[in-house]
Amino acid sequence: MAILALQLDADQVTGLLTTLTGEPLLRINEHHGRPMGRPEPILDVMASVLGRILDASEAMGRRLADMTVVVFAPVGGHPPVVIADTDLGWGTVDLLAGLRQRDSRVPPFARLLPDSILAAQAELTLLEDGRDMIYLKSNSGIGGAVIVDGAVVAGAHELAGALGHIPLVPGGVLCGCGQRGCLDTVAGPDVILRAAGLAGLLESDGLTAALDELTGRILAGEPRASAVWDAAAEWIARALQILSMAVDPKVIVLGGYWARLAESIGIRYAASRPLAAMGVAWLQVDVVAGRLEGDAALFGAVWGARDRLLGDPLQISI
Ligand SMILES: [Zn+2]
């Protein structure tokens, strides 16, 4: 038996096959070239990676006990579909149906989940006390998850945690979601990369490489990148303040490329906390860097599957 996580991000498709205890058996990455607005070529790449993983799994004599498709985009509906993705220029896309059209071996129990929830759950398992946690990340857009008393808050429309769309700036730039002045419009990766002069690198080398370069420049104190980051970090800290008053977290975990910049966000956030000036210790909220970086969602998918299967061994005989 085996667990499969198939992940789609802004640059590539990653397939990870593991044992039931989460030990890696095979990992395949393939760049998809990001043809804007066209799901079909990207589904072809996903199906190619999936097919190779399933072939290898069969050759090992391992049947799938669990399969999660992870997508760096919001997911909603029944059955679940990708609602939109700005990095790929998508509207609604039924990824599971598209994969099934290309490979009939996609099992009926395959699930589709957004990366941010899985990444938050993975980071949560590494914390000593993360039962009340806000997870905020940026790589492909800005996303997150709110965890209250150990559980991810889904919301009435399963859209809770769309933290990139907290409207911050009155009368600000129109966002793709229809609101004005969302966090994404002042601190989203496209906005920051363009302002830092890295739009060309984004086009030529992809999002991951461009964000690596940006982070390096900020940490090295390069003036243009630093100025852009200073402005964005103020907005990120403000969004965290707003969220904190709604959720009252114990810890805030910053993921994606913000993990390496967590300190600069944490300083701004702490400076504005209520009663901070009076040093009220029990109001302390820790702002920490995520520890799993780019693999957080993949680990979240695999660890979640492992825990489900071990918690209900009857599923293993599916
Ligand atoms: Zn928005």
Side-chain angles (χ1 to χ4, degrees):
M1 306 298 285
I3 292 169
L4 171 60
L6 182 69
Q7 176 172 287
L8 170 65
D9 65 33
D11 293 319
Q12 62 182 352
V13 176
T14 305
L16 176 64
L17 187 74
T18 76
T19 65
L20 294 189
T21 56
E23 295 300 317
L25 293 165
L26 176 65
R27 179 178 180 135
I28 296 175
N29 296 317
E30 188 171 330
H31 283 265
H32 53 60
R34 197 171 165 239
M36 288 298 288
R38 294 170 53 216
E40 300 296 319
I42 291 175
L43 270 160
D44 290 342
V45 176
M46 292 184 80
S48 162
V49 171
L50 173 66
R52 280 179 278 157
I53 294 251
L54 291 177
D55 290 347
S57 183
E58 285 169 12
M60 291 180 225
R62 290 178 179 272
R63 273 189 308 130
L64 290 189
D66 194 285
M67 174 175 167
T68 306
V69 177
V70 184
V71 60
F72 280 51
V75 170
H78 301 282
V81 296
V82 174
I83 296 171
D85 184 59
T86 48
D87 287 305
L88 296 170
W90 286 5
T92 301
V93 177
D94 190 341
L95 269 189
L96 289 177
L99 286 174
R100 283 203 176 92
Q101 280 171 7
R102 288 164 173 80
D103 196 323
S104 61
R105 294 175 292 176
V106 174
F109 52 79
R111 67 191 76 213
L112 175 70
L113 288 168
D115 70 298
S116 52
I117 287 176
L118 295 166
Q121 287 171 331
E123 297 286 0
L124 177 67
T125 64
L126 299 180
L127 291 174
E128 266 180 38
D129 182 4
R131 293 188 63 78
D132 293 288
M133 171 182 135
I134 292 170
Y135 177 73
L136 184 65
K137 66 102 193 183
S138 181
N139 31 34
S140 178
I142 296 171
V146 174
I147 291 178
V148 174
D149 202 18
V152 174
V153 176
H157 311 91
E158 296 180 13
L159 285 175
L163 306 184
H165 298 288
I166 295 172
L168 289 174
V169 189
V173 173
L174 186 63
C175 179
C177 74
Q179 303 182 107
R180 285 190 179 276
C182 292
L183 178 61
D184 213 23
T185 67
V186 286
D190 287 347
V191 175
I192 294 182
L193 288 169
R194 208 180 313 123
L198 290 167
L201 187 66
L202 172 64
E203 271 310 305
S204 62
D205 290 21
L207 184 65
T208 305
L211 291 176
D212 277 349
E213 177 65 24
L214 172 74
T215 309
R217 290 187 186 186
I218 294 166
L219 292 173
E222 192 268 322
R224 183 171 177 184
S226 297
V228 169
W229 176 248
D230 286 347
E234 287 290 340
W235 287 117
I236 298 164
R238 182 150 183 82
L240 289 173
Q241 285 173 255
I242 293 167
L243 286 167
S244 293
M245 296 314 281
V247 175
D248 187 18
K250 180 83 167 67
V251 60
I252 293 168
V253 178
L254 296 166
Y257 83 96
W258 288 355
R260 290 174 64 198
L261 301 166
E263 191 179 351
S264 72
I265 296 171
I267 289 168
R268 288 174 169 83
Y269 169 81
S272 304
R273 287 285 294 150
L275 305 182
M278 287 181 267
V280 180
W282 57 268
L283 273 175
Q284 170 89 20
V285 179
D286 294 325
V287 179
V288 301
R291 289 158 62 180
L292 296 168
E293 302 220 349
D295 277 342
L298 272 179
F299 283 128
V302 169
W303 295 348
R306 175 196 64 193
D307 294 348
R308 274 193 303 278
L309 293 167
L310 295 180
D312 182 8
L314 286 177
Q315 285 190 57
I316 299 175
S317 61
I318 286 170

